Amino acid sequence: MKAVVATELNEFSVMNVDLDSPKVGEVLVKMKATGVCHSDLSVINGTIPSPFPVVLGHEGAGIVDKVGEGVTHVAPGDHVILSFIPQCGECFHCIHDEPYLCIAGKPDGCLLDGTTRVHNSSDDVYVMSYLGNMAEYAVVPGICVTPIDKDIDWKAAALVGCGVTTGVGAAIKTARVTPGSTVAVYGCGGVGVSVIQGARIAGAKQIIAVDLSAEKMENARRFGATHTVTPGGNSLREVMELTGGRGVDFAFEVIGHHSTIEMCIKCARRGGSAVLVGVGRATERFSVNSLILPLTSKNIIGCMYGSVNFKVDFPMYLDFYRQGLLDLDGMVTKTYTLDEAPQAFEDMESGQNTRGVILHG
Ligand code: APR
Ligand code: ZN
Ligand code: ZN
């Protein structure tokens, strides 16, 4: 089958690879749509550490083709969304209502048994986040898939696999944005506009979009942003002005850069929260003076996967979509074939897409 494989740091291409059958507890999914997320790029450029070669892709939806022994919750023909974190239902985190922190697997490029189902002539090929679904097919852990209704558009379903769940969840689940509150969102790509939509759904009265790109901020208005600022260095001052000098109740960082993290912490009001969603390099450091948190009672909150419980939340976000609360169609700027994946990455890097989606036909 064809797959998009990062072969070494900063190198990737569409190539043919072999795929084994699903083993016990695993599922073979014929991919229908795969979203191109910044985290895929972060694997290519080493921001997110990964072994190579690795099949990219962690945001997607498709049709179950075959199930391994012991899989009973899905059957061939089912439409499913893939989750890039397994939910075992048994570990400490799963039973304590934090399934997004499930420790059933290790992020080592393998499936749960420590091996991979993808190979080329000379090598094992790893998969990104247990999935590696930027490919015609993916063999994934059964505990990473959940069925969805068959009438849902594939592109919308794919986005729910990462960007939408991460962003909307950051607002309504991780931060619990309250009605009438004020919000700033630093970084208005696919995940950032999802945070904006989550804040809108939660009833925030003021949602300030901040991005280096004026087009991205303008685009954010259609998803619920009420204000934008001048791109660049003055954003912090302008966010403060827009909130009467007080700062926002919730400031979301959706980039993964120390300077914008520091801005979020600064522009959160006394007693407010800075919510860190963007994934930066492990070498990236931000600094906060030791006085500020105790004296202002600010919170710095890490957000993994929008605090998802995917069996409940994927269908919930699709209901929001059906009800017209969540605009997923508007997030898909452009679609690509699998062969056009390099173009999709180029378009993301040049800031042209809210989300690019690969359609597998
Ligand atoms: N200041 C303001 N905006 C910035 C800055 C900056 N210093 N650097 C980048 N941006 C903006 C870009 O202009 C772009 O609009 O951040 C946005 C990032 O959007 P995408 O590339 O579409 O990324 P996305 O898929 O939304 O992911 C954002 O969340 O899940 C994580 O790994 C992911 O860290 C990444 C983040
Ligand atoms: Zn992602
Ligand atoms: Zn678990």
PDB file of all heavy atoms in Angstrom, residues 37 39 58-59 162 355, ligand 2:
ATOM      1  N   CYS A  37      -2.077  17.740  10.232  1.00  0.00           N
ATOM      2  CA  CYS A  37      -1.985  18.533  11.461  1.00  0.00           C
ATOM      3  C   CYS A  37      -0.549  19.007  11.635  1.00  0.00           C
ATOM      4  O   CYS A  37       0.393  18.381  11.148  1.00  0.00           O
ATOM      5  CB  CYS A  37      -2.400  17.634  12.630  1.00  0.00           C
ATOM      6  SG  CYS A  37      -2.191  18.355  14.266  1.00  0.00           S
ATOM      7  N   SER A  39       1.262  18.676  14.073  1.00  0.00           N
ATOM      8  CA  SER A  39       2.068  17.662  14.766  1.00  0.00           C
ATOM      9  C   SER A  39       2.712  16.680  13.786  1.00  0.00           C
ATOM     10  O   SER A  39       3.763  16.113  14.088  1.00  0.00           O
ATOM     11  CB  SER A  39       1.211  16.905  15.792  1.00  0.00           C
ATOM     12  OG  SER A  39       0.759  17.795  16.783  1.00  0.00           O
ATOM     13  N   HIS A  58      -2.152  11.038  12.257  1.00  0.00           N
ATOM     14  CA  HIS A  58      -2.734  10.698  13.563  1.00  0.00           C
ATOM     15  C   HIS A  58      -4.128  11.316  13.689  1.00  0.00           C
ATOM     16  O   HIS A  58      -4.694  11.349  14.766  1.00  0.00           O
ATOM     17  CB  HIS A  58      -1.824  11.220  14.685  1.00  0.00           C
ATOM     18  CG  HIS A  58      -1.748  12.718  14.685  1.00  0.00           C
ATOM     19  ND1 HIS A  58      -1.011  13.424  13.764  1.00  0.00           N
ATOM     20  CD2 HIS A  58      -2.373  13.636  15.441  1.00  0.00           C
ATOM     21  CE1 HIS A  58      -1.175  14.712  13.964  1.00  0.00           C
ATOM     22  NE2 HIS A  58      -2.009  14.873  14.982  1.00  0.00           N
ATOM     23  N   GLU A  59      -4.639  11.850  12.567  1.00  0.00           N
ATOM     24  CA  GLU A  59      -5.966  12.485  12.579  1.00  0.00           C
ATOM     25  C   GLU A  59      -6.726  11.878  11.403  1.00  0.00           C
ATOM     26  O   GLU A  59      -6.403  12.174  10.249  1.00  0.00           O
ATOM     27  CB  GLU A  59      -5.776  14.006  12.387  1.00  0.00           C
ATOM     28  CG  GLU A  59      -7.068  14.792  12.288  1.00  0.00           C
ATOM     29  CD  GLU A  59      -6.845  16.314  12.200  1.00  0.00           C
ATOM     30  OE1 GLU A  59      -6.515  16.931  13.228  1.00  0.00           O
ATOM     31  OE2 GLU A  59      -6.994  16.872  11.112  1.00  0.00           O
ATOM     32  N   CYS A 162      -8.205  14.670  15.770  1.00  0.00           N
ATOM     33  CA  CYS A 162      -7.192  15.411  16.550  1.00  0.00           C
ATOM     34  C   CYS A 162      -7.569  16.877  16.754  1.00  0.00           C
ATOM     35  O   CYS A 162      -7.916  17.270  17.848  1.00  0.00           O
ATOM     36  CB  CYS A 162      -5.794  15.322  15.939  1.00  0.00           C
ATOM     37  SG  CYS A 162      -4.620  16.399  16.793  1.00  0.00           S
ATOM     38  N   ARG A 355      -7.253  23.854   7.639  1.00  0.00           N
ATOM     39  CA  ARG A 355      -6.883  22.441   7.633  1.00  0.00           C
ATOM     40  C   ARG A 355      -6.868  21.935   6.195  1.00  0.00           C
ATOM     41  O   ARG A 355      -7.791  22.239   5.417  1.00  0.00           O
ATOM     42  CB  ARG A 355      -7.935  21.600   8.379  1.00  0.00           C
ATOM     43  CG  ARG A 355      -7.564  21.061   9.739  1.00  0.00           C
ATOM     44  CD  ARG A 355      -6.247  20.362   9.843  1.00  0.00           C
ATOM     45  NE  ARG A 355      -6.057  19.762  11.142  1.00  0.00           N
ATOM     46  CZ  ARG A 355      -5.202  20.195  12.076  1.00  0.00           C
ATOM     47  NH1 ARG A 355      -4.429  21.233  11.841  1.00  0.00           N
ATOM     48  NH2 ARG A 355      -5.101  19.562  13.230  1.00  0.00           N
TER      49      ARG A 355
HETATM   50 ZN    ZN B   2      -2.731  16.638  15.596  1.00  0.00          ZN
END
